[in-house]
């Protein structure tokens, strides 16, 4: 034991200077949150040797012991924290240790005793309260009359307990405040230490010494003015006291943690000789709570790798092992120990400070299925595997990770798979995996029929793991071994009659092939016919006239990496027999839903193969030989099934084609208003079954059938029929006049939408109720198409009442209301926001604009836009207006773009996208077709100068997409925007300027081209690699579940998985750029780099450089003008060689994508054909940029020398192990002098027998007998289990051999607890006496 005098010295070099000064100072207290840190126990316990060993209560279930902010070593998982009784844990006294005025060093003890008494009373009353509540619950289930008296008595007792608890808590708070009262430090000790210290807190006036209740703000100011070094010294002096209750040490450890949080730099100035001793004493405590607090405190004291080395010198490795092997009841200690280990991973190169002994212990925790910390142990091993793979391999952790992958019980299966994929990328890491078949363990639940039943969650987890493998290059190569045996086994699993497994496999194929089920898929799977799926299936060509597909003069600039990758996955699955497996599943299964899903997948696969695979591969697939052959033989039993399948596939393909037209039309016009569904769809007008021309009798019959004329209850109206009438017969002016004058149909229908009738405006805002909005928009559009309708609409009360409601929001109107119609609550909860959709219909027509102006709504719109507190209303207004017509609405939009808050400016900027990406309509015979979008482009160029960077970034994205049309691109260049102030944000737009001669000349005049070329050549190519790989990873991941508006979804979908803009690709779009590229000689340098370093597999920087050169070559080769560069250098041959023979899997993937880029040009396609690679083409014969080798085995061939594992470590068996020759490796190695008498161990046959039995514990056959013998020897020769050298030998055996967690716990528990204390404090005198004896 270290002398106590040493404990009183300072802990930082800065404090050494302060100690030389002798000036007294009051002690500020550490402040800690009520729910932060480790909670002290609720009741007193007995004293231990040095600290108490009482139990401790903690926070509620689910709460972590770490603070709420991300702490070093923290983890986020599904672990459960130790629960707390219903009584809860009373608030803690967080006051630091202080001294009494009378000079006693145990000052504050009396106060703590009183606080403990109050807590005991509170716990007692809480138990009474819980018992009363439980009794009331029991009495509630009985007869009320019989238990009335008893219930009254229990309620009285419950009220009494609540009152007493409130009083006791008040008294406890008063006692805590009394304990925190500033006192004069002991002159014999503290006054001389801090006299004249420049770091002491400023002295307070005398009047501030009184105990008062101060606000939280004042406390925060007090904390900010504290002297951290003084507080640190004060708390450490408090920790010096022995024999206190565990809560005493826990509170002060928490105070130190809070101090480190408030002053992060304090940990860099610690004197570990003193601070470390306090840590050691806490970690040696008999109280699990104090040990946990010690681990937490040490974790927050970690600063860098040097501090980790200092901490390890305190023998923390042995203490961690001792904590991790404890039983589950010590979960708080084990959890904090594991968090402490994880804190090593947060420090640069900190993983290298983890010892093999600690990692082996974590492996044993990960292998023990019943351990609560198993998931966290697996997560820790995964992170270590990524940072230092050899450490996990040496510790035998690969097997436990493989088991976790196969079991499917680990929820973070994707991260586990990613760690293995990281090792499989390069040869030197790939050899660390002994067999190379570790990833195939995820297939075992599907290939084992007996493991399927009752393990739905396990199957889902493994399905996600397999999907993660198929979405990465190392994963594909790992599964391609032995001619794709793993994938074939998955397809063969479809033959097992297990509906759940079959359904999950089909969902897996939908996922990896990126097939998004169509909107009508749920109806199809339910068994409804394709002709009844709604109006989308019957979309007519004219429906897309007004919402035309975004045309692009430079559509070839968009190359989908995801599409190319999906084509490869599809080719692999077809090669493995996907179509045959699906056809057999359709014939075999009796589950109709599963059969329909298989048919839907079959139709989608055929459609995808036709679009993305070369004709040599996809041509034979379209005829489905097996199904057609079965359908042709009428005498066979499967004739009806085969015929029905072929018919359904044909129907699916036709419906997919029609719905594809609809989806493209919807993408072209993405509404940005109140609801996506409230904008009427032209598809509805083309799907009506009612003829515009019909006789009077039929029309009147239909009006009666709608029930509008029979009742005013809109719930009884037939809205589908009303919608058909609006889109059909009412388009005839005669029918409109008849509906107005002869019936009350339009009067009641318009009346339903009048705001002050509170019918439409009070309907809840739900998805089914959006039909009322769509019908209202269709009604206004129909009325605007004929003079009678315009006249009736202008004279109706609808617009007048809408104007009055808008005036309630206009401060200049003079109209006010306590509950305005367009309040935030009504906009969110009801269909009130749908009125703006109706106004949007009016804004799309000149006559409608006149009506809006008649009621002065434009002025109200201007004032609404100025409402900074109603950003929601402004967005609804802007999102529903139609700015196609040149009117005051464009001025309002311009005002919103420049004068509104940032969120509204961003929204308005995104809103302009739909006007610059659709095909402009030719409005005159002079062909001035682009006039519709010029105004939007001018507004977007103005947004480039917005003071907020986010707004500028959105404007750049929209303008970049608008530049896909040549005219728009030239118009943007003529606007001559200045983008220097945007830096990297404006770079993509400037790159697009290079694609035209006009833009090239503009940029050349700014001296932009040469500077940008030098930047890309010297470093931007390397960063481009990271950008591409990150884009591909994001696109392959699952889509976010966060709900988004239509505009946000469009922007997220816009560039996902696409090749980002590249300087050299844009440069080679013009002849001037090609001339400059040839003069610079950069292409030759790229080719030389690829030729010289294509086989590099270890140097990451060199591999990054090669990838950057490959992407530059591919982008140049994708342009028709760049093809001569490929022919002159024959670089395609080298790229094909990399794709087929490189040892780095991601390098092969890069070459594969680059070949796809090259195939987009005609010359590139011809060059690839010479090398045997086939290119997919569309119906016009144009290349889509997807190329594949004729033989997939060539692409996935890996040399066998790269698959050989490393030689296994020479581990001797128990019979061959020479115990006398055991060496001591780090971290358990101690100085040689310590082992001067270690040879005496083996002269004692008892010690040799003990070591032999410990080795036998690793043998499952000998475990039971060895444990019995060790128990017997423990009872007979207990003194042997107190020898430190023997303990070190045993720890070395545990470090270098695999033992289960219970065995490790059993072995360590055999030794006396004093052994660890002697080791940690480096006091081995007792051991020497034992050896001498």
């Amino acid at each position: 034991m270290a002398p106590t005098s040493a404990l009183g010295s300072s802990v930082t070099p800065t404090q050494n200077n302060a100690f030389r000064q002798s000036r007294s100072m009051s002690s500020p207290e550490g402040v800690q949150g009520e729910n932060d840190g480790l909670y002290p126990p609720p009741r007193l316990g007995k004293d231990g040797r040095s600290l108490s060993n009482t139990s401790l209560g903690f926070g509620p279930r689910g709460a972590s012991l770490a603070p709420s902010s991300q702490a070093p070593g923290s983890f986020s998982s599904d672990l459960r924290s130790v629960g707390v009784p219903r009584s809860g844990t009373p608030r803690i006294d967080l006051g630091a240790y202080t001294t009494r005025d009378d000079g006693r060093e145990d000052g504050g003890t009396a106060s703590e005793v009183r606080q403990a008494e109050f807590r005991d009373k509170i716990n007692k009353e809480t138990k009474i309260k819980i018992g009363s509540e439980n009794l009331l619950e029991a009495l509630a289930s009985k007869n009320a009359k019989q238990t009335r008296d008893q219930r009254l008595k229990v309620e009285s007792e419950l009220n009494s307990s609540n009152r007493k608890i409130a009083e006791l808590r008040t008294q406890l708070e008063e006692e805590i405040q009394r304990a925190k009262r500033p006192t004069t430090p002991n002159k014999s000790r503290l006054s001389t230490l801090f006299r004249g210290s420049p770091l002491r807190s400023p002295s307070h006036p005398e009047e501030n010494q009184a105990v008062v209740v101060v606000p939280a703000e004042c406390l925060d100011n007090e904390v900010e003015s504290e002297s951290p070094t003084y507080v640190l010294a004060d708390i450490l002096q408090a920790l010096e006291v022995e024999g206190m209750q565990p809560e005493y040490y826990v509170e002060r450890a928490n105070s130190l943690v809070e101090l480190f949080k408030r002053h992060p730099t304090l940990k860099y100035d610690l004197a570990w000789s003193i601070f470390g001793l306090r840590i050691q004493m806490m970690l040696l405590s008999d109280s699990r709570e104090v040990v946990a607090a010690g681990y937490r405190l040490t974790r927050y004291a970690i600063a860098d790798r040097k501090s980790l080395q200092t901490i390890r010198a305190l023998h923390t490795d042995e203490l961690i092992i001792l904590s991790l092997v404890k039983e589950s009841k010590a979960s708080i200690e084990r959890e904090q120990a594991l968090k402490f280990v994880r804190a090593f991973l947060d420090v640069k190169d900190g993983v290298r400070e983890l010892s093999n002994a600690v990692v082996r212990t974590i492996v044993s925790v990960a292998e023990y299925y019943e351990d609560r910390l198993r998931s966290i142990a697996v997560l820790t091993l995964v992170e270590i595997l990524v940072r230092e793979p050899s450490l996990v391999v040496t510790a035998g952790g690969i097997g436990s990770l493989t088991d976790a992958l196969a079991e499917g019980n680990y929820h973070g299966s994707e991260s586990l798979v990613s760690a293995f994929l990281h090792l499989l990328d390069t040869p030197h890491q790939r050899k660390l995996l002994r067999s190379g078949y570790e990833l195939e363990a995820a297939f075992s639940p599907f290939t084992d029929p007996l493991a399927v039943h009752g393990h739905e969650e396990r199957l889902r987890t493994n399905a996600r793991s397999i999907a993660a493998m198929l979405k990465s290059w190392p994963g594909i190569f790992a599964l391609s071994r032995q001619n794709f045996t793993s994938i074939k086994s998955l397809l063969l699993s479809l033959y097992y009659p297990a509906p759940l497994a079959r359904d999950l496999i089909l969902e897996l194929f939908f996922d990896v092939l990126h097939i998004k089920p169509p909107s009508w898929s749920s109806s199809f799977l339910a068994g409804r016919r394709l002709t009844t799926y709604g109006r989308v299936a019957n979309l007519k060509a004219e429906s897309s006239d007004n919402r035309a597909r975004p045309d692009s003069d430079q559509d070839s600039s968009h190359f989908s990496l995801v599409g190319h990758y999906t084509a490869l996955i599809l080719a692999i699955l077809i090669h493995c027999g996907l179509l045959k497996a699906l056809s057999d599943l359709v014939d075999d299964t009796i589950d109709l839903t599963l059969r329909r899903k298989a048919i839907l997948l079959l139709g989608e696969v055929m459609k995808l193969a036709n679009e993305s695979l070369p004709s040599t591969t996809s041509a034979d697939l379209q005829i489905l030989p097996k199904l057609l052959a079965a359908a042709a033989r009428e005498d066979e039993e499967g004739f009806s099934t085969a015929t029905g399948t072929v018919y359904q596939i044909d129907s699916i393909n036709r419906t997919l084609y029609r719905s594809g037209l609809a989806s493209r039309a919807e993408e072209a016009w993405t509404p940005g208003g109140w609801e996506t569904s409230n904008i009427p769809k032209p598809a509805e007008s083309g799907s009506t079954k009612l003829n515009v021309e019909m006789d009077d009798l039929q029309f009147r019959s239909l009006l009666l059938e709608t029930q509008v004329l029979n009742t005013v209850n809109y719930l009884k109206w037939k809205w589908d029929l009303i919608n058909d009438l609006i889109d059909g017969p009412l388009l005839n002016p005669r029918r409109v006049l008849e509906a107005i004058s002869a019936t009350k149909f339009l009067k009641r229908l318009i009346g339903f939408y009048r705001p002050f009738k509170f019918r439409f405006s009070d309907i809840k805002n739900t998805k089914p109720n959006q039909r009322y909005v769509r019908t209202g928009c269709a009604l206004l559009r129909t009325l605007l198409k004929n003079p009678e309708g315009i006249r009736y609409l202008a004279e109706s009360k609808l617009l007048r009442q809408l104007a009055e409601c808008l005036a309630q929001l206009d401060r200049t109107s003079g109209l006010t209301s306590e509950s305005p119609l367009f309040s935030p609550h009504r906009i969110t909860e009801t269909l009130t926001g749908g009125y703006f959709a109706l106004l949007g219909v009016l804004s799309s027509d000149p006559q409608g604009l006149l009506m809006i102006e008649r009621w002065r709504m434009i002025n109200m719109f201007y004032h609404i836009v100025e409402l900074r507190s109603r950003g929601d209303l402004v967005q609804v207004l802007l999102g529903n207006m139609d700015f196609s017509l040149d009117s005051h609405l464009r001025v309002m939009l311009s005002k919103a773009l420049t004068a509104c808050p940032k969120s509204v400016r961003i929204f308005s900027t995104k809103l302009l996208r739909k006007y610059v990406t659709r095909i402009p309509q030719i409005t005159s015979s002079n062909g001035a077709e682009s006039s519709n979008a010029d105004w939007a482009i001018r507004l977007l160029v103005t947004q480039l100068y917005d003071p907020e960077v986010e707004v500028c970034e959105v404007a750049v994205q929209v303008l970049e997409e608008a530049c896909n049309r040549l005219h728009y691109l030239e118009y943007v260049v003529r606007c001559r925007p200045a983008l220097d102030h945007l830096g990297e944000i404006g770079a993509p737009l400037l790159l697009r300027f290079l694609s035209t001669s006009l833009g090239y000349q503009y940029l050349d005049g700014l001296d932009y081209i040469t500077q940008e070329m030098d930047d890309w050549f010297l470093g931007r190519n390397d960063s481009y690699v990271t950008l591409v790989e990150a884009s591909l990873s994001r696109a392959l991941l699952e889509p976010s579940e966060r709900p988004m508006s239509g505009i946000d979804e469009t922007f997220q979908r816009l560039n996902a998985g696409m090749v980002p803009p590249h300087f050299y690709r844009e440069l080679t779009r013009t002849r001037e750029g090609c001339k400059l590229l040839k003069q610079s000689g950069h292409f030759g340098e790229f080719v030389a780099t690829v030729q010289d370093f294509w086989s590099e597999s270890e140097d990451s920087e060199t591999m990054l450089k090669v990838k950057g050169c490959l992407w530059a070559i591919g982008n140049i080769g994708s342009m028709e003008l760049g093809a001569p560069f490929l022919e002159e250098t024959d670089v395609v041959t080298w790229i094909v060689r990399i794709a087929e023979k490189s040892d780095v899997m991601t390098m092969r993937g890069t070459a594969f994508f680059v070949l796809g880029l090259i195939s987009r040009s005609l010359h590139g396609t011809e060059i690839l054909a010479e090398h045997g690679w086939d290119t997919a083409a569309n119906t016009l014969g144009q290349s889509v940029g997807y190329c594949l080798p004729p033989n997939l085995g060539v692409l996935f061939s890996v040399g066998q020398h790269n698959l050989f594992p490393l030689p296994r470590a020479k581990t001797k068996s128990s019979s061959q192990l020479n115990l006398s020759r055991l060496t001591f490796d780090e971290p358990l190695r101690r100085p040689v002098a310590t082992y001067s008498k270690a040879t005496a161990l083996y002269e004692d046959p008892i010690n040799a027998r003990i070591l032999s039995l410990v080795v036998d514990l690793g043998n499952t056959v000998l475990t039971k007998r060895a444990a019995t013998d060790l128990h017997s020897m423990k009872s007979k020769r207990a003194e042997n289990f107190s020898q430190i050298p023997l303990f070190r030998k045993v720890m070395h055996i545990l470090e270098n051999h695999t033992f289960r967690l219970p065995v490790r716990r059993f072995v360590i528990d055999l030794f006396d607890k004093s052994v660890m204390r002697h080791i940690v404090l480096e006091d081995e005198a007792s051991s020497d006496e034992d050896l001498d004896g």
Side-chain angles (χ1 to χ4, degrees), residues 1043-1086:
M1044 297 180 297
S1045 66
I1047 290 181
D1048 293 334
E1049 186 178 2
T1050 300
F1051 271 79
Q1052 185 185 47
R1053 187 177 63 243
L1054 188 60
N1055 296 320
M1058 295 291 184
V1059 176
H1062 197 285
F1063 174 80
Y1064 289 100
R1065 182 176 69 207
E1066 305 300 328
L1067 188 65
T1068 50
R1069 289 183 184 274
T1070 60
R1071 297 190 181 277
E1072 297 90 341
C1074 292
K1075 182 179 178 180
L1076 179 63
L1077 178 60
K1078 189 172 184 180
Q1079 293 174 353
S1080 65
H1082 288 180
F1083 189 84
E1085 293 291 338
F1086 296 150

Side-chain angles (χ1 to χ4, degrees), residues 44 196 206 245 319 338 341 405 559 583 798 888 1023 1130 1135 1148 1173:
L44 294 173
E206 190 66 28
Q245 300 299 322
L319 292 169
L338 195 52
V341 174
L405 182 62
F559 173 61
S583 301
L798 173 63
H888 282 281
S1023 59
D1130 195 27
I1135 300 176
R1148 287 198 185 193
W1173 283 59

Side-chain angles (χ1 to χ4, degrees), residues 23 153 161 163 175 198 331 342 361 421 456 539 576 664 741 788 790 825 877 1007 1009 1028 1081 1135 1139 1193 1214 1250:
R23 191 170 183 180
K153 184 177 180 181
S161 298
R163 185 176 61 257
E175 183 62 35
S331 58
R342 289 179 56 79
T361 306
L421 298 178
E456 179 179 355
L539 181 68
C576 295
R664 287 194 293 268
S741 59
E788 293 297 332
I790 295 174
H825 174 75
L877 170 62
D1007 197 23
I1009 299 178
V1028 172
I1135 300 176
S1214 58
I1250 290 174

Side-chain angles (χ1 to χ4, degrees), residues 1163-1312:
H1163 290 79
T1165 302
E1166 295 174 354
I1167 296 174
L1168 286 175
E1170 295 175 359
H1171 291 82
W1173 283 59
D1174 297 330
T1175 303
N1178 56 20
T1179 55
L1180 300 178
Q1182 299 172 346
S1183 171
V1184 295
Y1186 304 157
C1187 62
L1188 294 172
N1191 183 10
L1192 293 176
V1194 175
L1195 184 62
F1196 294 101
S1197 61
V1198 182
Q1200 291 298 318
H1201 63 282
N1202 293 325
L1203 301 178
F1204 284 170
L1206 287 175
R1208 293 183 177 272
K1210 296 181 179 180
T1211 304
K1212 295 184 178 181
S1213 63
S1214 58
S1215 60
Q1216 298 173 339
L1217 190 62
N1218 188 349
L1219 298 176
S1220 63
R1221 296 181 179 272
L1222 285 175
T1223 58
F1224 298 88
D1225 296 330
E1226 292 292 343
L1228 301 178
R1229 179 179 294 175
R1230 300 274 83 85
V1232 178
T1234 306
Y1235 298 101
S1236 59
K1237 299 181 181 181
T1239 53
L1241 284 171
Y1242 305 105
E1243 297 176 0
D1244 187 352
I1246 300 298
N1247 290 342
R1249 177 60 178 165
I1250 290 174
L1251 294 175
S1252 178
L1253 291 174
V1254 170
V1255 174
D1256 290 344
L1257 288 175
N1259 189 330
T1260 55
V1261 178
L1262 305 176
T1263 299
K1264 187 174 181 180
R1265 190 192 66 183
T1268 304
D1269 293 346
L1270 284 172
H1271 262 303
S1272 176
M1273 297 182 68
K1274 169 72 174 179
S1275 60
K1276 296 178 181 178
R1277 297 293 299 271
E1279 63 276 5
N1280 289 71
F1281 291 93
S1282 299
Q1283 298 178 5
I1284 295 178
L1286 179 62
F1287 180 78
R1288 294 187 184 278
K1289 286 286 186 181
V1290 170
M1291 292 295 290
H1292 179 77
I1293 294 174
L1294 296 180
E1295 177 183 2
N1296 291 277
H1297 295 79
T1298 302
F1299 292 93
R1300 296 176 63 248
L1301 184 64
V1303 174
R1304 291 177 179 269
R1305 182 188 307 127
F1306 170 76
V1307 171
I1308 293 178
D1309 288 345
L1310 289 173
F1311 287 86
D1312 190 85

Side-chain angles (χ1 to χ4, degrees), residues 670-847:
T670 303
W674 176 68
E675 277 291 339
T676 300
S677 57
N678 65 2
I679 302 298
K681 298 176 176 58
E684 297 180 1
S685 62
S687 61
T688 179
K689 298 179 181 179
L690 299 181
N691 189 6
V692 177
E693 300 295 337
M694 63 172 55
D695 54 28
D696 296 345
L697 184 60
Q698 186 179 4
F699 177 68
R700 292 170 185 170
S701 175
L702 290 174
L703 290 181
L704 290 173
E705 190 177 347
T706 61
Q707 301 299 320
V708 175
L709 302 178
N710 299 333
T711 178
V712 294
N713 186 358
Y714 69 92
L715 295 176
K716 297 182 179 181
W717 295 353
K718 295 184 178 180
W719 287 95
D720 292 336
L721 183 57
I722 294 173
N723 201 76
D724 290 341
L725 281 171
I726 292 173
D727 291 336
L730 288 180
L731 292 175
N732 188 338
R734 179 185 172 187
R735 298 303 175 198
V736 173
L737 182 60
E738 182 179 353
I740 294 174
S741 59
T743 68
K744 294 184 178 181
F745 180 78
L746 281 181
K747 180 180 179 181
R748 287 190 175 179
L749 201 55
I750 291 292
F752 166 74
Y753 289 97
R754 283 166 53 184
F756 293 154
K757 283 188 175 292
F758 296 103
R759 300 168 70 188
F760 172 80
S761 57
D762 280 355
I763 300 176
K764 289 187 177 181
N765 182 15
T766 61
K767 187 174 182 180
N769 289 340
Q770 295 300 318
R771 60 177 181 172
Y772 303 121
V773 182
R774 289 193 294 268
T775 302
C777 292
L779 176 61
L780 294 188
R781 181 176 288 106
T782 298
L783 293 177
L784 288 172
K785 289 183 179 180
N786 60 81
E788 293 297 332
I790 295 174
R791 188 179 302 109
Y792 179 78
L793 187 59
E795 296 175 356
S796 69
K797 296 181 181 179
L798 173 63
L799 298 183
R800 184 173 60 188
Q801 292 184 5
L802 273 178
E804 185 176 346
C805 294
L806 290 173
Q808 296 172 359
L809 304 173
D810 187 356
R811 299 175 181 176
T812 63
S813 66
L815 295 179
T816 59
S817 174
E818 296 181 358
S819 57
L821 183 71
F822 296 110
S823 63
H825 174 75
R826 294 184 65 89
I827 288 288
T828 305
E829 301 297 331
T830 67
L831 292 183
T832 302
Y835 284 118
F836 290 99
L838 303 182
L839 293 175
V841 174
L842 295 178
S843 66
S844 63
D845 187 273
Q847 295 297 327

